[in-house]
Amino acid sequence: MAETTSLRDAVAQLVHDGDTVALEGFTHLIPHAAGQEIIRQRRRDLTLVRMTPDIVYDQLIGAGCAKKLIFSWGGNPGVGSLHRFRDAVQNAWPAPLEIEEHSHAGMANRYVAGASGLPFAVLRGYRGTDLPRHTDTIKTITCPFTGEELAAVPALNPDVSIIHAQRADRAGNVQMWGLVGVQKEAVLAARRSLVTVEEIVDELTPVPGQVILPAWAVTAVAEVPGGAHPSYAAGYSERDNDYYAYWDSIGRERDSFQRWLDEKVFSQEVAK
Amino acid sequence: MMSVAAARALSGGQRVFVGIGLPSTAANLARRTHAGDLVLVYESGTLGSKPTRLPASIGDGILADTADAVISVPEVFNYWLQPGRIDIGFLGAAQLDRFGNINTTVIGPDYASPKVRLPGAGGAPEIAANCREVYVVVRQSRRSFVEQVDFITSFGHGRGKGDREKLGLPGAGPTLVITDLGVLRPDPETAELVLTQIHEGVTVEQVRAATGWDLTVAPELTTTPPPTEAELTALRELKAAR
Protein backbone atom coordinates (compact mmCIF):
# COMPACT_ATOMS: atom_id res chain seq x y z
CA MET A 1 0.00 0.00 0.00
CA ALA A 2 1.15 3.52 -0.69
CA GLU A 3 2.56 5.29 2.30
CA THR A 4 1.38 8.86 2.77
CA THR A 5 4.37 10.90 3.79
CA SER A 6 6.11 14.26 3.40
CA LEU A 7 8.08 15.17 0.32
CA ARG A 8 11.27 15.40 2.35
CA ASP A 9 10.88 11.95 3.88
CA ALA A 10 9.75 10.41 0.61
CA VAL A 11 12.83 11.62 -1.27
CA ALA A 12 15.09 10.65 1.63
CA GLN A 13 13.71 7.11 1.62
CA LEU A 14 13.20 6.47 -2.06
CA VAL A 15 15.98 8.27 -3.95
CA HIS A 16 19.54 7.09 -3.36
CA ASP A 17 22.88 8.17 -4.81
CA GLY A 18 23.55 6.28 -8.03
CA ASP A 19 19.89 5.48 -8.69
CA THR A 20 18.17 5.60 -12.03
CA VAL A 21 15.43 8.16 -11.52
CA ALA A 22 12.60 9.17 -13.85
CA LEU A 23 10.58 12.34 -13.29
CA GLU A 24 7.82 12.34 -15.89
CA GLY A 25 5.02 14.68 -16.89
CA PHE A 26 4.52 15.83 -20.46
CA THR A 27 4.40 19.64 -20.10
CA HIS A 28 1.49 19.10 -17.73
CA LEU A 29 2.00 17.75 -14.16
CA ILE A 30 5.80 17.97 -14.08
CA PRO A 31 7.04 17.18 -10.55
CA HIS A 32 9.20 20.28 -10.06
CA ALA A 33 9.01 20.40 -6.27
CA ALA A 34 10.26 16.81 -6.05
CA GLY A 35 13.14 17.60 -8.40
CA GLN A 36 14.18 20.51 -6.21
CA GLU A 37 13.98 18.33 -3.10
CA ILE A 38 16.41 15.90 -4.77
CA ILE A 39 18.78 18.84 -5.32
CA ARG A 40 18.30 19.99 -1.72
CA GLN A 41 19.20 16.52 -0.41
CA ARG A 42 22.32 16.65 -2.63
CA ARG A 43 21.88 13.34 -4.41
CA ARG A 44 24.76 12.45 -6.70
CA ASP A 45 25.55 10.18 -9.66
CA LEU A 46 21.94 9.83 -10.70
CA THR A 47 20.99 8.45 -14.07
CA LEU A 48 18.15 10.78 -14.96
CA VAL A 49 15.47 9.52 -17.31
CA ARG A 50 12.90 11.73 -18.94
CA MET A 51 11.40 12.07 -22.43
CA THR A 52 11.59 15.86 -22.33
CA PRO A 53 14.26 17.07 -19.93
CA ASP A 54 13.15 20.66 -19.50
CA ILE A 55 13.59 23.18 -16.68
CA VAL A 56 13.52 20.69 -13.81
CA TYR A 57 16.30 18.62 -15.39
CA ASP A 58 18.26 21.76 -16.26
CA GLN A 59 18.19 22.41 -12.51
CA LEU A 60 19.18 18.87 -11.50
CA ILE A 61 21.99 18.75 -14.07
CA GLY A 62 23.29 22.22 -13.19
CA ALA A 63 23.25 21.31 -9.50
CA GLY A 64 25.52 18.35 -10.18
CA CYS A 65 23.07 15.55 -9.34
CA ALA A 66 23.38 13.72 -12.65
CA LYS A 67 26.04 11.57 -14.24
CA LYS A 68 23.90 10.37 -17.12
CA LEU A 69 20.80 11.46 -18.98
CA ILE A 70 18.47 9.17 -20.95
CA PHE A 71 16.13 11.33 -23.03
CA SER A 72 14.58 12.20 -26.36
CA TRP A 73 14.21 16.01 -26.42
CA GLY A 74 16.03 18.48 -24.21
CA GLY A 75 14.91 22.08 -24.40
CA ASN A 76 12.97 24.84 -22.71
CA PRO A 77 9.59 24.35 -24.44
CA GLY A 78 8.44 27.43 -26.29
CA VAL A 79 11.57 29.37 -25.23
CA GLY A 80 14.77 27.78 -26.52
CA SER A 81 17.81 26.00 -25.11
CA LEU A 82 18.53 24.54 -21.72
CA HIS A 83 21.77 26.28 -20.86
CA ARG A 84 22.78 24.09 -17.89
CA PHE A 85 22.21 20.95 -20.01
CA ARG A 86 24.23 22.48 -22.84
CA ASP A 87 27.02 23.52 -20.49
CA ALA A 88 27.22 19.97 -19.16
CA VAL A 89 27.33 18.37 -22.63
CA GLN A 90 29.60 20.94 -24.27
CA ASN A 91 31.88 21.83 -21.33
CA ALA A 92 31.38 19.04 -18.75
CA TRP A 93 30.23 21.61 -16.17
CA PRO A 94 29.63 21.07 -13.29
CA ALA A 95 30.37 17.43 -14.17
CA PRO A 96 30.60 15.39 -17.35
CA LEU A 97 27.19 14.20 -18.50
CA GLU A 98 26.91 10.94 -20.35
CA ILE A 99 23.92 10.89 -22.66
CA GLU A 100 21.77 8.12 -24.07
CA GLU A 101 19.61 9.60 -26.75
CA HIS A 102 16.36 8.31 -28.25
CA SER A 103 13.27 9.55 -30.05
CA HIS A 104 9.96 10.10 -28.27
CA ALA A 105 8.55 6.97 -29.85
CA GLY A 106 11.54 4.97 -28.61
CA MET A 107 11.34 6.32 -25.07
CA ALA A 108 7.57 5.81 -24.85
CA ASN A 109 7.99 2.22 -25.97
CA ARG A 110 10.83 1.62 -23.52
CA TYR A 111 8.49 2.62 -20.68
CA VAL A 112 5.70 0.47 -22.11
CA ALA A 113 8.04 -2.54 -22.16
CA GLY A 114 9.11 -1.74 -18.60
CA ALA A 115 5.52 -1.49 -17.41
CA SER A 116 4.63 -4.68 -19.27
CA GLY A 117 7.37 -6.73 -17.64
CA LEU A 118 8.98 -7.36 -21.02
CA PRO A 119 12.71 -7.10 -21.76
CA PHE A 120 12.33 -4.90 -24.83
CA ALA A 121 9.90 -3.20 -27.19
CA VAL A 122 9.68 -3.16 -30.96
CA LEU A 123 8.75 -0.22 -33.11
CA ARG A 124 9.06 0.95 -36.67
CA GLY A 125 11.50 3.68 -35.75
CA TYR A 126 14.91 5.31 -36.20
CA ARG A 127 15.28 4.14 -39.81
CA GLY A 128 17.76 6.20 -41.76
CA THR A 129 18.71 8.33 -38.78
CA ASP A 130 22.14 8.69 -37.15
CA LEU A 131 20.79 7.87 -33.69
CA PRO A 132 21.54 4.11 -33.73
CA ARG A 133 25.23 4.85 -34.47
CA HIS A 134 25.56 6.67 -31.14
CA THR A 135 23.03 4.92 -28.91
CA ASP A 136 23.78 1.32 -27.86
CA THR A 137 20.20 0.77 -26.76
CA ILE A 138 18.86 0.89 -30.32
CA LYS A 139 19.18 -2.41 -32.20
CA THR A 140 17.34 -4.05 -35.03
CA ILE A 141 15.31 -7.23 -34.87
CA THR A 142 13.68 -9.28 -37.61
CA CYS A 143 9.98 -9.96 -37.28
CA PRO A 144 9.58 -13.77 -37.07
CA PHE A 145 6.31 -13.58 -38.99
CA THR A 146 6.90 -11.11 -41.81
CA GLY A 147 10.68 -10.81 -41.97
CA GLU A 148 10.46 -7.03 -41.58
CA GLU A 149 13.40 -5.37 -39.86
CA LEU A 150 12.24 -3.35 -36.88
CA ALA A 151 13.89 -1.31 -34.15
CA ALA A 152 14.25 -2.90 -30.72
CA VAL A 153 14.78 -0.86 -27.56
CA PRO A 154 15.30 -2.27 -24.06
CA ALA A 155 12.76 -1.81 -21.28
CA LEU A 156 13.24 1.11 -18.94
CA ASN A 157 12.89 0.09 -15.31
CA PRO A 158 13.89 3.06 -13.17
CA ASP A 159 14.81 2.47 -9.53
CA VAL A 160 12.31 5.18 -8.78
CA SER A 161 9.77 7.09 -10.85
CA ILE A 162 8.30 10.35 -9.61
CA ILE A 163 5.18 12.02 -10.99
CA HIS A 164 2.78 14.74 -9.92
CA ALA A 165 -1.00 14.19 -9.99
CA GLN A 166 -4.13 16.06 -9.03
CA ARG A 167 -5.46 14.03 -6.13
CA ALA A 168 -5.04 11.04 -3.89
CA ASP A 169 -7.32 9.64 -1.23
CA ARG A 170 -6.22 8.78 2.28
CA ALA A 171 -5.51 5.20 1.30
CA GLY A 172 -3.06 6.40 -1.37
CA ASN A 173 -5.09 5.76 -4.52
CA VAL A 174 -3.98 8.35 -7.07
CA GLN A 175 -6.17 10.11 -9.59
CA MET A 176 -4.98 12.22 -12.51
CA TRP A 177 -6.48 13.55 -15.71
CA GLY A 178 -5.85 15.87 -18.64
CA LEU A 179 -2.62 15.30 -20.56
CA VAL A 180 -1.40 12.12 -18.92
CA GLY A 181 1.75 11.72 -21.01
CA VAL A 182 3.72 8.63 -20.11
CA GLN A 183 3.30 8.92 -16.33
CA LYS A 184 1.28 5.74 -15.78
CA GLU A 185 3.87 3.71 -17.69
CA ALA A 186 6.75 5.37 -15.83
CA VAL A 187 5.25 4.46 -12.44
CA LEU A 188 4.39 0.89 -13.42
CA ALA A 189 7.86 0.35 -14.91
CA ALA A 190 9.66 1.49 -11.75
CA ARG A 191 10.80 -0.51 -8.75
CA ARG A 192 9.68 2.30 -6.43
CA SER A 193 7.44 5.27 -7.06
CA LEU A 194 6.52 8.59 -5.52
CA VAL A 195 3.46 10.58 -6.50
CA THR A 196 3.19 14.17 -5.31
CA VAL A 197 -0.40 15.44 -5.41
CA GLU A 198 -2.19 18.76 -5.25
CA GLU A 199 -4.39 17.51 -2.44
CA ILE A 200 -5.30 14.47 -0.42
CA VAL A 201 -9.06 14.02 -0.14
CA ASP A 202 -11.40 11.70 1.73
CA GLU A 203 -12.96 10.39 -1.44
CA LEU A 204 -11.96 10.64 -5.12
CA THR A 205 -14.66 12.21 -7.30
CA PRO A 206 -14.65 10.58 -10.76
CA VAL A 207 -13.47 12.85 -13.59
CA PRO A 208 -13.79 12.23 -17.36
CA GLY A 209 -10.67 10.65 -18.80
CA GLN A 210 -9.11 10.04 -15.41
CA VAL A 211 -6.29 7.62 -14.77
CA ILE A 212 -6.25 5.79 -11.45
CA LEU A 213 -3.11 4.35 -9.97
CA PRO A 214 -4.31 2.08 -7.17
CA ALA A 215 -2.58 2.48 -3.82
CA TRP A 216 -1.00 -0.97 -4.16
CA ALA A 217 0.81 0.13 -7.36
CA VAL A 218 2.45 3.18 -5.75
CA THR A 219 5.13 3.29 -3.03
CA ALA A 220 4.56 6.75 -1.55
CA VAL A 221 2.22 9.71 -1.89
CA ALA A 222 3.07 13.20 -0.68
CA GLU A 223 0.75 16.20 -0.63
CA VAL A 224 2.55 19.08 -2.36
CA PRO A 225 0.12 21.80 -3.46
CA GLY A 226 1.56 23.64 -6.46
CA GLY A 227 4.26 20.99 -6.75
CA ALA A 228 4.18 21.17 -10.55
CA HIS A 229 4.93 24.92 -10.82
CA PRO A 230 5.84 26.38 -13.33
CA SER A 231 4.15 23.44 -15.06
CA TYR A 232 0.49 23.04 -14.17
CA ALA A 233 -2.20 20.72 -12.88
CA ALA A 234 -5.45 20.82 -14.87
CA GLY A 235 -8.29 21.78 -12.56
CA TYR A 236 -5.91 23.36 -10.05
CA SER A 237 -3.46 25.70 -11.74
CA GLU A 238 -2.37 27.18 -15.05
CA ARG A 239 1.03 26.93 -16.69
CA ASP A 240 3.25 29.86 -15.70
CA ASN A 241 4.47 30.67 -19.20
CA ASP A 242 6.37 33.74 -18.01
CA TYR A 243 8.47 31.57 -15.71
CA TYR A 244 9.70 29.45 -18.63
CA ALA A 245 10.92 32.65 -20.34
CA TYR A 246 12.36 33.91 -17.04
CA TRP A 247 14.27 30.65 -16.58
CA ASP A 248 16.30 31.47 -19.67
CA SER A 249 17.82 34.44 -17.82
CA ILE A 250 18.57 32.33 -14.72
CA GLY A 251 19.94 29.26 -16.46
CA ARG A 252 22.04 31.10 -19.02
CA GLU A 253 25.01 31.87 -16.73
CA ARG A 254 26.65 29.73 -14.06
CA ASP A 255 26.61 32.62 -11.55
CA SER A 256 22.94 33.46 -11.88
CA PHE A 257 22.11 29.77 -11.68
CA GLN A 258 24.19 29.33 -8.53
CA ARG A 259 22.46 32.33 -6.93
CA TRP A 260 19.09 30.85 -7.83
CA LEU A 261 20.10 27.51 -6.28
CA ASP A 262 21.16 29.15 -3.04
CA GLU A 263 18.14 31.41 -2.74
CA LYS A 264 15.34 29.24 -4.07
CA VAL A 265 16.43 25.71 -3.29
CA PHE A 266 19.01 25.32 -0.56
CA SER A 267 17.63 28.01 1.75
CA GLN A 268 14.06 26.69 1.45
CA GLU A 269 13.52 23.75 3.74
CA VAL A 270 10.30 21.95 2.89
CA ALA A 271 7.95 20.95 5.68
CA LYS A 272 8.70 17.63 7.24
CA MET B 1 4.53 35.36 -44.90
CA MET B 2 6.03 32.07 -43.84
CA SER B 3 3.05 31.12 -41.66
CA VAL B 4 0.57 32.23 -44.33
CA ALA B 5 2.35 30.20 -47.03
CA ALA B 6 2.47 27.20 -44.69
CA ALA B 7 -1.21 27.56 -43.81
CA ARG B 8 -2.14 27.61 -47.50
CA ALA B 9 -0.38 24.29 -48.03
CA LEU B 10 -2.93 22.60 -45.76
CA SER B 11 -6.39 21.67 -46.92
CA GLY B 12 -9.61 20.68 -45.24
CA GLY B 13 -10.07 17.31 -43.60
CA GLN B 14 -6.36 16.52 -43.47
CA ARG B 15 -4.96 15.08 -40.29
CA VAL B 16 -1.91 17.11 -39.31
CA PHE B 17 0.72 16.29 -36.71
CA VAL B 18 1.57 19.71 -35.33
CA GLY B 19 4.65 20.94 -33.54
CA ILE B 20 4.74 24.11 -31.49
CA GLY B 21 5.83 27.41 -33.04
CA LEU B 22 5.42 28.05 -36.76
CA PRO B 23 3.72 24.72 -37.57
CA SER B 24 1.15 25.35 -34.88
CA THR B 25 0.58 28.93 -36.06
CA ALA B 26 0.15 27.75 -39.65
CA ALA B 27 -2.20 24.89 -38.79
CA ASN B 28 -4.38 27.11 -36.62
CA LEU B 29 -4.44 29.81 -39.27
CA ALA B 30 -5.53 27.26 -41.88
CA ARG B 31 -8.25 26.00 -39.57
CA ARG B 32 -9.56 29.56 -39.17
CA THR B 33 -9.48 30.43 -42.85
CA HIS B 34 -9.91 27.89 -45.64
CA ALA B 35 -9.63 24.56 -43.79
CA GLY B 36 -12.10 24.60 -40.92
CA ASP B 37 -12.21 20.82 -40.61
CA LEU B 38 -8.45 20.31 -40.37
CA VAL B 39 -7.67 17.73 -37.67
CA LEU B 40 -4.86 18.89 -35.38
CA VAL B 41 -2.89 16.22 -33.53
CA TYR B 42 -0.32 17.27 -30.91
CA GLU B 43 2.27 14.85 -29.52
CA SER B 44 1.26 15.70 -25.96
CA GLY B 45 -1.74 13.45 -26.63
CA THR B 46 -4.54 15.51 -28.13
CA LEU B 47 -6.56 14.44 -31.16
CA GLY B 48 -8.61 17.11 -32.93
CA SER B 49 -7.67 20.15 -30.85
CA LYS B 50 -9.56 23.35 -31.67
CA PRO B 51 -7.75 26.01 -29.64
CA THR B 52 -9.25 29.50 -29.55
CA ARG B 53 -5.76 31.04 -29.21
CA LEU B 54 -2.25 29.95 -30.09
CA PRO B 55 -1.01 27.37 -27.59
CA ALA B 56 2.09 28.53 -25.68
CA SER B 57 3.50 25.03 -25.49
CA ILE B 58 2.92 21.54 -26.80
CA GLY B 59 1.06 20.71 -23.59
CA ASP B 60 -0.96 23.90 -23.22
CA GLY B 61 -4.17 23.07 -21.35
CA ILE B 62 -6.26 24.59 -24.13
CA LEU B 63 -5.20 21.77 -26.47
CA ALA B 64 -6.63 19.18 -24.10
CA ASP B 65 -9.73 21.20 -23.21
CA THR B 66 -10.73 21.59 -26.88
CA ALA B 67 -9.75 18.13 -28.16
CA ASP B 68 -11.98 15.33 -29.42
CA ALA B 69 -9.89 12.96 -27.33
CA VAL B 70 -6.97 13.08 -24.93
CA ILE B 71 -4.69 10.05 -25.07
CA SER B 72 -1.39 8.91 -23.62
CA VAL B 73 1.92 9.59 -25.32
CA PRO B 74 2.65 5.92 -26.12
CA GLU B 75 -0.76 5.79 -27.81
CA VAL B 76 -0.02 8.88 -29.93
CA PHE B 77 3.06 7.27 -31.39
CA ASN B 78 1.99 3.62 -31.53
CA TYR B 79 -1.66 3.80 -32.57
CA TRP B 80 -1.89 7.04 -34.50
CA LEU B 81 1.48 7.92 -36.02
CA GLN B 82 3.16 4.56 -36.65
CA PRO B 83 0.40 2.91 -38.74
CA GLY B 84 0.16 5.93 -41.08
CA ARG B 85 -3.05 7.54 -39.85
CA ILE B 86 -1.62 11.07 -40.14
CA ASP B 87 -1.54 12.86 -43.50
CA ILE B 88 0.88 15.69 -42.89
CA GLY B 89 3.79 15.96 -40.46
CA PHE B 90 4.93 19.52 -39.86
CA LEU B 91 8.57 19.84 -38.83
CA GLY B 92 11.09 22.56 -38.11
CA ALA B 93 14.85 22.19 -38.52
CA ALA B 94 18.11 23.63 -37.25
CA GLN B 95 19.84 22.31 -40.36
CA LEU B 96 18.27 21.07 -43.56
CA ASP B 97 20.25 19.72 -46.51
CA ARG B 98 19.71 19.59 -50.26
CA PHE B 99 17.87 16.27 -49.95
CA GLY B 100 15.59 17.38 -47.14
CA ASN B 101 17.36 15.54 -44.33
CA ILE B 102 16.84 17.29 -41.00
CA ASN B 103 19.20 17.87 -38.09
CA THR B 104 17.96 18.96 -34.66
CA THR B 105 20.59 17.08 -32.65
CA VAL B 106 24.12 18.52 -32.81
CA ILE B 107 26.04 21.06 -34.88
CA GLY B 108 29.58 19.98 -35.69
CA PRO B 109 31.08 16.70 -36.91
CA ASP B 110 31.72 15.21 -33.46
CA TYR B 111 28.60 13.95 -31.72
CA ALA B 112 30.45 13.42 -28.43
CA SER B 113 31.77 16.97 -28.24
CA PRO B 114 29.49 19.09 -30.37
CA LYS B 115 29.92 22.71 -31.31
CA VAL B 116 26.30 23.25 -30.38
CA ARG B 117 24.06 20.82 -28.58
CA LEU B 118 20.48 21.09 -29.88
CA PRO B 119 17.32 19.67 -28.23
CA GLY B 120 17.39 16.34 -30.08
CA ALA B 121 14.88 14.18 -31.89
CA GLY B 122 11.61 14.39 -29.99
CA GLY B 123 8.90 12.93 -32.18
CA ALA B 124 10.51 13.97 -35.46
CA PRO B 125 12.24 10.78 -36.75
CA GLU B 126 9.01 8.81 -36.76
CA ILE B 127 6.95 11.78 -37.97
CA ALA B 128 9.33 12.08 -40.92
CA ALA B 129 9.11 8.34 -41.57
CA ASN B 130 5.42 7.62 -41.13
CA CYS B 131 3.32 10.63 -42.10
CA ARG B 132 2.13 10.48 -45.69
CA GLU B 133 3.94 13.74 -46.41
CA VAL B 134 6.20 16.05 -44.46
CA TYR B 135 6.21 19.84 -44.66
CA VAL B 136 9.25 21.60 -43.27
CA VAL B 137 9.07 25.19 -42.05
CA VAL B 138 12.42 26.85 -41.49
CA ARG B 139 14.10 30.23 -41.81
CA GLN B 140 16.53 30.17 -44.69
CA SER B 141 20.21 31.03 -44.25
CA ARG B 142 23.60 29.56 -45.08
CA ARG B 143 23.75 28.25 -41.54
CA SER B 144 20.46 26.37 -41.77
CA PHE B 145 20.52 25.37 -45.46
CA VAL B 146 23.58 23.16 -45.80
CA GLU B 147 24.97 20.79 -48.43
CA GLN B 148 24.81 17.90 -45.96
CA VAL B 149 23.52 17.91 -42.39
CA ASP B 150 25.99 17.14 -39.56
CA PHE B 151 23.59 14.60 -38.08
CA ILE B 152 20.49 12.97 -39.56
CA THR B 153 17.84 13.32 -36.89
CA SER B 154 15.00 12.84 -39.34
CA PHE B 155 15.46 11.16 -42.69
CA GLY B 156 14.38 13.15 -45.73
CA HIS B 157 15.45 11.76 -49.10
CA GLY B 158 18.90 10.50 -48.04
CA ARG B 159 21.32 11.14 -50.91
CA GLY B 160 18.68 11.05 -53.60
CA LYS B 161 15.66 9.44 -55.20
CA GLY B 162 14.92 5.89 -54.09
CA ASP B 163 16.74 6.06 -50.74
CA ARG B 164 13.49 6.15 -48.78
CA GLU B 165 12.16 3.11 -50.62
CA LYS B 166 15.39 1.20 -49.90
CA LEU B 167 14.87 1.82 -46.19
CA GLY B 168 11.21 0.81 -46.40
CA LEU B 169 9.98 4.16 -45.14
CA PRO B 170 6.22 4.31 -45.68
CA GLY B 171 5.69 8.09 -46.12
CA ALA B 172 6.72 10.27 -49.06
CA GLY B 173 9.05 12.35 -46.88
CA PRO B 174 9.51 16.11 -47.26
CA THR B 175 7.41 17.21 -50.22
CA LEU B 176 7.39 20.89 -49.35
CA VAL B 177 9.83 23.24 -47.63
CA ILE B 178 8.51 26.66 -46.70
CA THR B 179 10.94 29.39 -45.71
CA ASP B 180 10.83 33.12 -45.09
CA LEU B 181 12.08 33.60 -48.69
CA GLY B 182 10.13 31.08 -50.72
CA VAL B 183 9.09 27.48 -51.25
CA LEU B 184 11.21 24.48 -52.27
CA ARG B 185 10.05 21.10 -53.53
CA PRO B 186 11.99 17.91 -54.26
CA ASP B 187 12.78 17.35 -57.93
CA PRO B 188 10.70 14.35 -59.10
CA GLU B 189 13.76 12.76 -60.77
CA THR B 190 16.53 13.40 -58.22
CA ALA B 191 14.70 14.31 -54.97
CA GLU B 192 16.97 17.35 -54.64
CA LEU B 193 15.22 20.41 -53.23
CA VAL B 194 14.52 22.95 -55.93
CA LEU B 195 13.24 26.50 -55.55
CA THR B 196 9.75 26.58 -57.03
CA GLN B 197 8.28 29.72 -55.53
CA ILE B 198 9.50 33.00 -54.06
CA HIS B 199 7.63 35.34 -51.76
CA GLU B 200 6.74 38.78 -53.01
CA GLY B 201 9.66 41.21 -52.90
CA VAL B 202 12.29 38.44 -52.71
CA THR B 203 14.82 37.86 -55.50
CA VAL B 204 16.31 34.58 -56.67
CA GLU B 205 19.77 35.98 -55.88
CA GLN B 206 18.68 36.55 -52.30
CA VAL B 207 17.52 32.95 -52.00
CA ARG B 208 20.76 31.66 -53.58
CA ALA B 209 22.80 33.75 -51.14
CA ALA B 210 20.91 32.12 -48.25
CA THR B 211 21.48 28.56 -49.51
CA GLY B 212 24.58 26.51 -48.72
CA TRP B 213 24.49 24.52 -51.95
CA ASP B 214 24.27 25.34 -55.64
CA LEU B 215 20.52 25.87 -55.70
CA THR B 216 18.52 24.82 -58.72
CA VAL B 217 15.62 27.09 -59.64
CA ALA B 218 12.56 25.59 -61.31
CA PRO B 219 11.93 26.91 -64.83
CA GLU B 220 8.32 27.72 -63.93
CA LEU B 221 9.16 29.74 -60.80
CA THR B 222 6.07 31.36 -59.30
CA THR B 223 5.54 34.14 -56.77
CA THR B 224 3.61 33.62 -53.55
CA PRO B 225 0.45 35.72 -53.71
CA PRO B 226 0.46 38.32 -50.93
CA PRO B 227 -1.57 37.59 -47.79
CA THR B 228 -5.25 38.32 -48.17
CA GLU B 229 -7.10 40.62 -45.80
CA ALA B 230 -8.90 37.58 -44.35
CA GLU B 231 -5.60 35.79 -43.69
CA LEU B 232 -4.05 38.82 -42.05
CA THR B 233 -7.10 39.39 -39.87
CA ALA B 234 -7.21 35.75 -38.77
CA LEU B 235 -3.48 35.80 -38.02
CA ARG B 236 -3.75 39.00 -36.00
CA GLU B 237 -6.71 37.61 -34.05
CA LEU B 238 -4.82 34.41 -33.29
CA LYS B 239 -1.77 36.29 -32.09
CA ALA B 240 -3.80 38.74 -30.02
CA ALA B 241 -6.02 36.12 -28.32
CA ARG B 242 -4.86 35.08 -24.88
Side-chain angles (χ1 to χ4, degrees):
Chain A
M1 292 311 263
E3 185 190 352
T4 303
T5 179
S6 70
L7 177 58
R8 192 165 75 182
D9 288 350
V11 167
Q13 284 166 25
L14 298 181
V15 184
H16 313 131
D17 286 356
D19 273 356
T20 296
V21 182
L23 280 72
E24 282 294 350
F26 206 94
T27 312
H28 180 218
L29 297 174
I30 299 172
H32 276 268
Q36 289 169 14
E37 183 58 25
I38 292 172
I39 296 174
R40 203 175 286 120
Q41 295 192 17
R42 293 184 159 79
R43 289 292 176 277
R44 287 293 175 267
D45 297 324
L46 301 178
T47 293
L48 294 176
V49 187
R50 179 169 168 78
M51 289 184 65
T52 54
D54 40 29
I55 292 182
V56 66
Y57 272 34
D58 210 29
Q59 296 169 354
L60 282 154
I61 291 166
C65 301
K67 70 162 189 218
K68 182 174 178 181
L69 178 69
I70 302 176
F71 76 112
S72 42
W73 189 91
N76 183 347
V79 177
S81 295
L82 293 177
H83 301 287
R84 296 299 95 228
F85 162 57
R86 256 196 187 183
D87 206 9
V89 174
Q90 294 175 201
N91 310 310
W93 192 92
L97 183 71
E98 189 188 336
I99 58 173
E100 182 175 325
E101 185 164 7
H102 280 269
S103 68
H104 279 354
M107 286 293 284
N109 279 289
R110 294 189 66 185
Y111 278 123
V112 169
S116 307
L118 289 168
F120 69 95
V122 290
L123 68 151
R124 197 178 281 124
Y126 301 106
R127 280 181 198 172
T129 77
D130 284 332
L131 281 161
R133 286 202 291 127
H134 300 282
T135 304
D136 295 341
T137 45
I138 303 169
K139 307 270 189 213
T140 52
I141 188 166
T142 306
C143 169
F145 304 104
T146 64
E148 184 181 0
E149 273 217 340
L150 296 160
V153 288
L156 267 171
N157 294 105
D159 292 307
V160 54
S161 285
I162 302 176
I163 65 167
H164 187 76
Q166 278 98 343
R167 291 201 281 254
D169 64 15
R170 300 204 181 280
N173 298 296
V174 172
Q175 183 188 40
M176 61 176 175
W177 64 87
L179 298 172
V180 293
V182 73
Q183 288 97 299
K184 181 171 73 175
E185 289 78 8
V187 165
L188 297 180
R191 294 176 184 92
R192 303 183 292 278
S193 55
L194 164 63
V195 184
T196 58
V197 294
E198 289 292 318
E199 62 172 336
I200 292 178
V201 295
D202 290 331
E203 204 166 325
L204 297 174
T205 315
V207 177
Q210 68 183 12
V211 169
I212 292 278
L213 286 165
W216 50 269
V218 174
T219 316
V221 170
E223 189 177 50
V224 186
H229 181 268
S231 161
Y232 69 107
Y236 288 81
S237 59
E238 300 221 351
R239 189 172 187 265
D240 186 351
N241 292 318
D242 292 341
Y243 192 94
Y244 282 84
Y246 163 74
W247 181 255
D248 194 74
S249 69
I250 299 297
R252 191 170 282 273
E253 303 297 334
R254 293 173 186 175
D255 287 351
S256 52
F257 174 71
Q258 196 57 51
R259 270 199 304 279
W260 175 87
L261 265 187
D262 290 340
E263 283 167 24
K264 302 291 183 192
V265 181
F266 288 124
S267 69
Q268 314 278 316
E269 273 297 285
V270 295
K272 197 172 155 97
Chain B
M1 195 62 244
M2 189 154 48
S3 34
V4 170
R8 285 177 186 159
L10 299 168
S11 51
Q14 283 177 329
R15 290 155 293 191
V16 188
F17 206 104
V18 191
I20 220 66
L22 273 167
S24 177
T25 306
N28 279 292
L29 181 58
R31 210 177 59 75
R32 284 176 160 234
T33 50
H34 62 280
D37 53 352
L38 204 62
V39 180
L40 275 49
V41 179
Y42 287 81
E43 70 186 13
S44 51
T46 67
L47 296 183
S49 288
K50 294 165 279 292
T52 51
R53 55 168 171 80
L54 287 178
S57 71
I58 197 83
D60 195 315
I62 201 164
L63 297 176
D65 294 346
T66 61
D68 296 331
V70 178
I71 57 180
S72 73
V73 166
E75 193 177 322
V76 173
F77 287 98
N78 286 351
Y79 297 176
W80 299 90
L81 180 61
Q82 187 165 258
R85 292 184 216 279
I86 311 290
D87 298 310
I88 310 289
F90 234 129
L91 296 175
Q95 275 188 336
L96 178 85
D97 69 22
R98 72 196 289 165
F99 291 105
N101 302 298
I102 292 172
N103 175 14
T104 58
T105 303
V106 286
I107 304 289
D110 187 358
Y111 173 80
S113 68
K115 233 192 284 177
V116 182
R117 175 66 228 192
L118 300 166
E126 286 79 22
I127 293 170
N130 297 319
C131 289
R132 279 159 213 253
E133 291 180 65
V134 173
Y135 297 167
V136 186
V137 206
V138 57
R139 281 184 198 285
Q140 195 163 352
S141 73
R142 277 193 183 256
R143 262 175 57 197
S144 60
F145 272 57
V146 296
E147 169 75 39
Q148 198 162 346
V149 290
D150 292 336
F151 186 102
I152 298 181
T153 310
S154 307
F155 195 85
H157 300 288
R159 294 324 293 162
K161 179 99 184 143
D163 280 5
R164 287 186 70 87
E165 288 77 4
K166 271 183 238 157
L167 283 169
L169 295 174
T175 53
L176 192 65
V177 175
I178 299 147
T179 81
D180 49 336
L181 302 178
V183 173
L184 299 90
R185 291 185 172 83
D187 181 287
E189 302 298 319
T190 65
E192 179 183 323
L193 291 175
V194 168
L195 183 69
T196 58
Q197 189 176 321
I198 47 175
H199 300 329
E200 223 187 13
V202 176
T203 65
V204 169
E205 286 63 42
Q206 248 178 296
V207 185
R208 280 219 165 98
T211 307
W213 69 86
D214 187 15
L215 180 69
T216 304
V217 179
E220 62 288 0
L221 184 71
T222 58
T223 305
T224 316
T228 64
E229 213 35 64
E231 285 168 333
L232 285 177
T233 308
L235 190 57
R236 271 187 221 115
E237 279 173 5
L238 262 179
K239 291 197 164 163
R242 285 195 148 253

